[in-house]
Amino acid sequence: MRIYIIFAIMVLAGCKKSFLNLTPISNSNANNFFRTRADFDLAVNNAYSTLHTMYNPQGMISYCGELLSDNATIYTVAGTGSVNANDKYAFRDYSITATNNQVNQFWNEAWTSLYHVNIVIDKIQDADLDAGYKTGVIAEMRFLRALYYYAMVQLWGDLPLITKPIPAGEAFAIGRSPQAEVYQLIVDDLKEAAANLPAPDRVAAPGRASKGAAKTLLGKVYLAMGDKIAAAQVLMEVYNDYGGKQYDLLPHYGSLWGPENSKKNTKESIFEIQYKGGANNPFSSYWPAFAPFENFSITRFGGGINQVTDDLYNEYEPGDVRRDTSFELGYYKGATWIATKFQKKWKDLDAPIVSGVEACNNNFIVLRYADLLLLLTEATGDAQYMNRVRARVGLPLYGTPGYPSVKYPTLELALEHERRVELAMEFHRWFDLKRTNRALTVLAAKGKPINQDRLLLPIPQIATDQNKNLGQNNGY
Amino acid sequence: MRFNLIKSGAFIALSLLSMAVTAQQKTSVVKGLVQNNNNMPLQGVSVVIRNTTNNFTSGTSSDSSGVFTFSRIPSGGPYSFTFSMVGYESQTLTGYQIKDDVTLSLIVNLKALPGSLDQVVVVGYGSQRKKAVTGSVVSVGFDQFKDRSFANVAQSIEGTVAGVNIITTQGAPGFGPTIRVRGINSITAGTNPLFVVDGMAMENFDLNIINPQDIQSIEILKDAASAAIYGSRGANGVILITTKLGKPGKPQMNLTYEHGLQKVVRRVKLMDAQEWIRYYIDARNNAWVASGPGRSASDPNSVRGNNKNYLIPEEFITDPGKFGKGTDWQDVMFRTAQSKNMQVSISGGTDKAQYLFSAGYLDQDAVLIDNFYKRLSLRTNIRQKILDNLTAGLNISFTGVHNRTDGVEGKSDVISLGLQNDPIFPVYNENGNLGFLDPNSEWNRFASFGVQLWHPYSLIKYADKLNKFYNTIAGGYVEYKPIHDITFRSSINAVLTQRNYNWFWRTNAGYGYSSLLPAEGRYQTYSNLNWLTENSLSYDKQFGDHSIGALVAYTAQKQRGDTSQQRSTNYPNDLVQTLNAAGTPILSTTTAGEWSVLSWLSRISYSYKDRYFINGTIRRDGSSRFGETTRWGYFPSLSAGWLISDEAFMQNVSFINNLKLRVSYGVTGNNQIPNYGPISLLEGSKYVYSDNVANGIRVATIPNPHLKWEKTNQFNVGVDLALFNNRLNVTAEVYNSITRDLLLNVPIPILTGFATQLTNIGKIRNRGLELSLSSKNLVQPEFRWTTDFNISFNKNKVLQLGPNNAPVIVEEWGSRFVTAVGEPISNYEGYIFDGVYNNQNDIDKGPKYPAGMVITPGDPRVRDVDGNGIIDANDRTTLGNAQPDFMAGLTNTFTYKNLELSFMLHGVFGNEIVNQQTRYNKFWNDSRNAYAAINNYWRSEQEPGDGRTFKPNAEYKGMQTQFSSYWVEDGSFVRIRNIRLSYTIPQHLASKTPFRNLRVYVNAENVHVFSNYLGFDPENSMYSTGTDAATANTTFPPGLMVGADYGSYPIPLTVTFGVKLDL
């Protein structure tokens, strides 16, 4: 009979409801997250970390900003993940198709990043937290959302408007909204962000979005929308409120670049992506990615991405120190000199090597004061702002006799030239050409097989297969 | 005679045994012969002698000649003898008196039971007479695999069981095959059957843990009605393993020694150095010429700029001959490998207690250099009757494996890479280093040209790896019969698994890898404890013509797995490899995961006149892996059998010995998903503020709180037929199964922030037909010939999928797998490759290609499937599928006197393989080597090659790399799987040795494959991705990407010589 008792005990013991209620041991879970301020601090940090994806040297802003333009090329590259080398060559060659895996990866990265921003905005609405804190978090998130949507709208044109996490059912059917509506969302986000973000010197930590960053981006967006008056107004606010105070040009162009902490978050920086070198840290990899492919000499491996074209190299005026600050002409392999031009703005020769790649300390500047000055000239038609940029590097000012006005006869062309050399390899060139409607003219003249349709990327085939309502861009 | 030899002291083991035999004053010898009605000797018949006055008992069993001997039987009597064996009617002879020193001789004929229907078959939670089985259960006994030399018993039954597809996906020693019972029932949840070893249920079990020598029988529950007793885990079929236990009688000792040789016979044919240099030159010239107008193949490097794709080493043109044929990297990688396998087992017992002790040691070298697999397996099985109504037992097994296995991880592992190496490089350079990256080597001159070398030595000899795996399975039980007909059984089982893995990559790996990497050390562990307790009550009763059986049981099972992983770099040198010597840790992490299942189950069986059978089962399972409100599920089944041949009206049909009809219907489930599916998991991320790393947290999985089982309903009809004096046995079955609420990792639009979501959605159907034939063609006493044949057909169709029935698309490394409604799971989809454009006129006449895609003569031609004159994504179409139309196995066994010869053919027909190695070896890819068949590529309009191979181009811009039928190959094959020859030393010779029985054999596995497949083997074409997070070692091949071969490990030819001794 004792056995029956044991049996009964085993049954009763096993029947405990908790036997089947197992919660994850090695992951926290979302059921009890998004409640406290500490939770939201972590979620906000994560939202910022998506900048590392969006501005990755192998990311969409890098590829489109430089590789689609006349600044950069690739000679030999390797595939990464599901992306093969040809998917990358297609950017250089303007032979991108809807089945290009690199395009699909960019599309995925953009929407995933956007989700991590949107979920914070969505979850904090109902959280029982201090209203001021909530407003501040929402403003930061809307800045990031605008930054991402602005890149995406330039790459794909019409886009689904996603402002909160959506269930799968909805995602299978949602269509694309016209570009104008996307731009309206960006403007709304940036206005809201500008109204609620702190002044540049009041941000919680360097790297957090500020009023200055939101307004500078808004100015640029207005320019892209063709509204120079609105652009001038908002850019002038930044210039007047912070110029010469929180923001200024550094005395030397070279002081902008380097892995040292002293080169990070300077006065010239308006919005800057933060990295920290070394193993187990969120390090940057611009240097190894942009180093010549498999050089096995200056870097452990070398990604071969965004190699500098002769066309860009020759764009510099004689005596422009920015050229030699920005580029290397080649490297030594043993005793052999290998001549090939590549960038050195993010050079970090002391970076520790982690899993075969340099774990660099360099930050990446998204918006800087020189950019703002050049945008001001673009918006106002007044060359004085641009001339401050030229003055820093000791070049003849526009409108003075020494200026190479034969080569750059109009202010527009002068500005195009100035942006190209000042902001070289900082992911601006192709976006600049698009914004100023110069992409077709300039790139076709340099032999790129470009037409109006090629100014947009295709919607990835896998996305249109899932959701026919997305439609496809012309020519794909 | 035998004892004379023992006295000579030659065999210590036997002497020890003989000590157990205590001397009696007056004894005598009983000898006998047991044979069947055709006077053929019967082996393994249990013989029990009993003195009916003083209850002296002793037992033994007959040897291969049917002979049994009792050597020291006390004089007196009367004695009785009982003879019993499965499949035969028991017989008792009574009334024998034994006289002093007079040998008693007996000859007994046992009558075979019709169709062996009284044979007992293990089913879930009990056993049944074969006669009463109403579901679809296949039983494989030890005799059917005893001489096969595999470490994993599943490989021994590959091709022999209809409806069970066992696939050797990788030929490495110790690498378990994939098992699919009746097609693929799931798309993204696991498709492995449930394994139950002596009652212990295990998911994703590695059968290598069980020494085949210890296995008594394997039962495969194929239909849902049989598997439903395992409820939520039965949908992929259930494999029951029962280990051996001694028989009452004299101790039996078995010794086995095997020596094996393995060799990769079916090599991949690749270009030699001369062919490759021509290929290289053409690829680069083609790229240069295509890169702009006015460029010619004769332009020197000096005008070609610094793009590696255009540059050709001068010496390739001026003096290619000096490279000779170059290195065949398969010669470097592979060797003829030896293996040794030693087994010993002792078993025996009395009526009250039985035991088995066994030990086995396998020491196997792999065909891949420096790789090995060593396994020690120990087992103790004991069963003791404590009281008349109380029995207890304990089975304990320990398996320890030390192995090193490279090459099974596909594309970036040594076997795939070995096929990509350029043949021009020597095994060692002039400095004794491996590769051209050695800066001081003359071969370094090639570094700037873009050449490829992943030297096998750099991956093996310069990387030290050791895997240590220890597994203990222990299970104890008590059986108590409080009253007659009722049995209470309680058991507790536990499986403890421990794995340690050391990895050390030496600095720069001898310059033989594609890049120079610093030394790195890794250390990984996992430990896993799984326990199961089961308590059951069963009742069996016969009332006249009625027979009733009933079972109720309650079970609880839980598993916890812990993993750790550490990686460090910055070693001062390569001398100390443990992580304490490293300067910089780069990864240090531990994880843990758990799951639990609670179940109630019940079975009722009823039979009338031993002619009409009905079985009903139901199981209720609750699993931690599912949502709180959806985790409990019911799994019922009902089955019936009718033994038509026992009906009165059949008694005149003399050629039919047995005819039985079986019908069953049941519901089973599948729970093989990650542990915490319904919960949205979070994971860490990092950002930086003010040079301080700031932690972030992100949502990592999209939750589904309503997640529940995947359910399979299966209907099965089977017929068992025995004809012509049981000479011909036929089993035919048809089934139809529908799987609903698929646990589908549905690809969802990334607009949600996620690429996939685990959802219960969709339906699949599997329909099939299975036929097994077993024929005794010749039954002469001296010469016998039997033939076993099986064939099975399965058709798989997706009936419903996720939202909008959107197809599930997986794209991986160029290839594309589409699962769509109305089609089988995972069709390959791509362009149809139609050969090569021979000239511009060909191109102009054909369809237009996408903007920016320049097509030139020599480029691939793809078909404009939709006929709209434009090649675009809509022209992609179905190119094939991994699921065969049918599979068949044929075994013939010839026995002449003591000689037995058997050979087995196995064929799989109508499936296609995506040869993923196409990416590397079938078109130009970054200077890798290529298949020798590619030599026939298009060179010019005048030299168009075979018309099926496009020109190489170092900068392809056209369709060269697009997934097309160029990648898809016929997967059908016929394999001579096994040839076996064994010889039993005749009794009159054996009796001069200390051994009762002595057998020698030679066994050849994987003798030849008939196939045109370009890779190593058409069978190892399964791409396994992902690991079960809980155990970190078990591969979970998803249903979605079956059929892709990404550089698998070849299956070697294995020849084994063995000797088996019984004493």
Side-chain angles (χ1 to χ4, degrees), chain B residues 276-277 280-281 312-320 323 424 446:
Chain B
W276 179 80
I277 287 170
Y280 181 101
I281 292 170
I312 301 166
E314 205 74 18
E315 58 206 288
F316 278 12
I317 297 160
T318 54
D319 188 16
F323 294 97
I424 56 166
F446 290 102

Side-chain angles (χ1 to χ4, degrees), chain B residues 518-786:
Chain B
E520 189 181 316
R522 294 183 192 173
Y523 182 66
Q524 295 169 13
T525 66
Y526 89 75
S527 68
N528 213 3
L529 176 66
N530 184 335
W531 61 260
L532 164 70
T533 172
E534 298 186 322
N535 299 285
S536 66
L537 271 174
S538 56
Y539 173 75
D540 286 287
K541 182 78 182 170
Q542 190 135 10
F543 314 89
D545 285 340
H546 309 274
S547 174
I548 285 181
L551 168 87
V552 284
Y554 169 79
T555 84
Q557 186 168 16
K558 189 169 181 183
Q559 173 169 308
R560 179 183 166 114
D562 289 83
T563 73
S564 79
Q565 225 190 109
Q566 287 146 65
R567 288 169 63 190
S568 285
T569 186
N570 195 9
Y571 280 82
N573 55 42
D574 295 339
L575 299 176
V576 178
Q577 303 191 344
T578 48
L579 270 57
N580 60 317
T584 315
I586 47 180
L587 177 73
S588 176
T589 179
T590 69
T591 64
E594 293 179 320
W595 58 260
S596 55
V597 179
L598 276 186
S599 320
W600 287 96
L601 58 99
S602 177
R603 172 167 54 214
I604 293 179
S605 52
Y606 168 76
S607 69
Y608 177 64
K609 287 193 165 172
D610 232 10
R611 201 184 298 161
Y612 310 99
F613 305 91
I614 187 155
N615 263 297
T617 69
I618 187 159
R619 180 163 176 144
R620 181 163 193 254
D621 269 346
S623 163
S624 66
R625 284 188 178 146
F626 297 94
E628 223 173 309
T629 54
T630 46
R631 65 167 49 127
W632 286 95
Y634 283 99
F635 302 91
S637 83
L638 194 63
S639 56
W642 177 24
L643 197 56
I644 303 170
S645 50
D646 278 13
E647 294 288 354
F649 62 81
M650 290 294 289
Q651 296 314 307
N652 296 330
V653 190
S654 62
F655 68 94
I656 296 182
N657 308 99
N658 175 40
L659 173 61
K660 186 167 131 195
L661 178 68
R662 296 178 275 112
V663 182
S664 77
Y665 185 77
V667 182
T668 51
N670 184 348
N671 72 341
Q672 290 179 42
I673 56 161
N675 286 333
Y676 305 108
I679 301 169
S680 177
L681 299 180
L682 303 177
E683 66 185 14
S685 62
K686 283 175 185 169
Y687 200 64
V688 183
Y689 305 116
S690 311
D691 203 40
N692 296 315
V693 175
N695 286 313
I697 280 188
R698 64 172 58 196
V699 179
T701 62
I702 191 165
N704 184 348
H706 306 297
L707 212 57
K708 59 181 179 188
W709 322 103
E710 190 170 284
K711 274 191 177 175
T712 298
N713 297 34
Q714 192 182 70
F715 181 69
N716 188 75
V717 179
V719 175
D720 301 314
L721 182 64
L723 300 169
F724 316 120
N725 250 339
N726 291 316
R727 291 271 293 268
L728 181 63
N729 276 278
V730 182
T731 295
E733 307 206 55
V734 290
Y735 59 89
N736 185 38
S737 84
I738 306 257
T739 305
R740 289 174 292 126
D741 299 334
L742 293 178
L743 282 167
L744 205 54
N745 222 352
V746 185
I748 54 172
I750 197 74
L751 303 180
T752 56
F754 298 92
T756 60
Q757 181 182 30
L758 196 54
T759 314
N760 287 101
I761 206 159
K763 258 196 229 179
I764 319 176
R765 185 179 69 201
N766 278 286
R767 278 179 172 173
L769 171 67
E770 295 160 2
L771 186 68
S772 308
L773 287 174
S774 174
S775 163
K776 300 183 178 92
N777 305 325
L778 276 176
V779 289
Q780 303 301 317
E782 298 267 272
F783 186 55
R784 280 167 286 156
W785 171 27
T786 61

Side-chain angles (χ1 to χ4, degrees), chain B residues 31 63 201 262 401 403 531 566 736 829 896:
Chain B
K31 282 189 89 164
D63 63 17
Q262 299 194 68
V401 173
N403 73 310
W531 61 260
Q566 287 146 65
N736 185 38
E829 192 185 271
Y896 177 70

Side-chain angles (χ1 to χ4, degrees), chain B residues 414-442:
Chain B
V414 57
I415 291 191
S416 171
L417 292 173
L419 302 180
Q420 302 170 35
N421 288 331
D422 295 341
I424 56 166
F425 297 108
V427 177
Y428 290 103
N429 68 26
E430 75 280 14
N431 301 326
N433 284 322
L434 301 181
F436 67 85
L437 292 182
D438 177 357
N440 302 316
S441 166
E442 55 166 350

Side-chain angles (χ1 to χ4, degrees), chain B residues 60-95:
Chain B
T60 187
S61 58
S62 62
D63 63 17
S64 63
S65 313
V67 174
F68 67 91
T69 312
F70 293 100
S71 45
R72 295 179 181 193
I73 300 298
S75 308
Y79 277 93
S80 70
F81 295 87
T82 305
F83 302 86
S84 54
M85 184 159 128
V86 166
Y88 289 83
E89 255 176 34
S90 294
Q91 211 180 108
T92 303
L93 308 177
T94 53

